Amino acid sequence: MNTPRIIVFSRTTGYRHDSIPDGIAALRALGGAHGFEVTATEDPAAFAAGLPGCRVAVFLSTSGTVLDEAGRAALRAHLAAGGGFAGVHAAAATEYDWPWYGELIGARFARHPELQPGTVRVADHGHPATAHLGERWELTDEWYDFEDNPRGAVRVLATADESSYRDGRMGGDHPLVWCHENTGGRSFFTALGHTAECYADPVFRAHLAGGVLWAAGHGA
């Protein structure tokens, strides 16, 4: 039996997160723990070539325009065939001129306040990415605001508590983690994952693993 594969894409043409190597290392470790082969690339051609037969495409803090037309076609075909997608952090700051990707990611990054501690409120414990969390999750991150609130189009798993940090601008309903199946396969997104330290945190790793595994077809 072939080992299931995930492909991690981390190309940036905008801001580049220093935590990307830590994220790749964490995903490789999670792949080993859960029986997935993990390939990482920043080459659009290699990404497109690696998608057929792949279980999940992970966009790890990508930014700007990162795919050519062949890569875009390959990603659409991957989702249309029932493949999964997981977007992490700046994946929401990617492919702004491609409407289909906007639907895939769920909401586009608008801005964020300074890096600071804050609180995540878990809204749905029935998902593998949040099942291990309590009602509140304290961590330090960039608390992304989005151009639009995705609620109604996605299943919201967790929200930001804007009273727990400075300069949030989405108000009392601030989705931060969500999933959907609007583009064929399963799509998961977490706005968390700015710092290198979070990728060594077992709680965050379990969150990331749960999202990727759900996108691969595991769990409700």
Side-chain angles (χ1 to χ4, degrees):
M1 181 177 178
N2 292 332
T3 302
R5 292 188 298 111
I6 67 174
I7 187 165
V8 180
F9 191 55
S10 55
R11 185 184 182 205
T12 59
T13 61
Y15 182 83
R16 185 168 184 86
H17 281 76
D18 293 339
S19 59
I20 286 173
D22 301 89
I24 292 171
L27 286 160
R28 289 192 189 281
L30 293 170
H34 294 280
F36 282 80
E37 177 187 335
V38 178
T39 300
T41 186
E42 298 201 355
D43 179 352
F47 173 74
L51 272 178
C54 184
R55 193 72 64 85
V56 181
V58 179
F59 273 35
L60 175 65
S61 281
T62 48
S63 67
T65 300
V66 295
L67 293 175
D68 55 18
E69 288 305 317
R72 288 183 173 188
L75 185 59
R76 289 191 69 148
H78 170 72
L79 270 292
F85 173 86
V88 180
H89 197 53
T94 300
E95 298 288 337
Y96 280 95
D97 66 339
W98 186 18
W100 182 87
Y101 184 83
E103 184 179 3
L104 174 68
I105 200 71
R108 296 188 184 278
F109 167 77
R111 44 83 65 187
H112 64 76
E114 64 182 354
L115 181 72
Q116 61 189 298
T119 301
V120 176
R121 289 178 172 166
V122 177
D124 185 340
H125 285 97
H127 190 281
T130 48
H132 66 296
L133 299 171
E135 296 299 320
R136 298 170 69 83
W137 180 16
E138 314 287 338
L139 75 164
T140 296
D141 215 302
E142 287 179 335
W143 302 92
Y144 275 13
D145 291 330
F146 299 95
E147 292 181 354
D148 298 291
N149 188 321
R151 188 180 297 276
V154 302
R155 174 184 171 187
V156 175
L157 305 177
T159 62
D161 179 357
E162 289 194 359
S163 71
S164 69
Y165 64 92
R166 299 179 301 280
D167 198 25
R169 299 184 187 176
M170 289 188 69
D173 182 26
H174 185 154
L176 204 65
V177 182
W178 58 76
C179 63
H180 68 80
E181 298 180 55
N182 301 333
T183 44
R186 290 181 166 191
S187 175
F188 168 83
F189 173 73
T190 179
L192 304 170
H194 173 76
T195 69
E197 291 78 11
C198 73
Y199 292 100
D201 176 5
V203 177
F204 182 83
R205 281 196 175 198
H207 172 65
L208 187 60
V212 172
L213 289 169
W214 180 86
H218 299 265

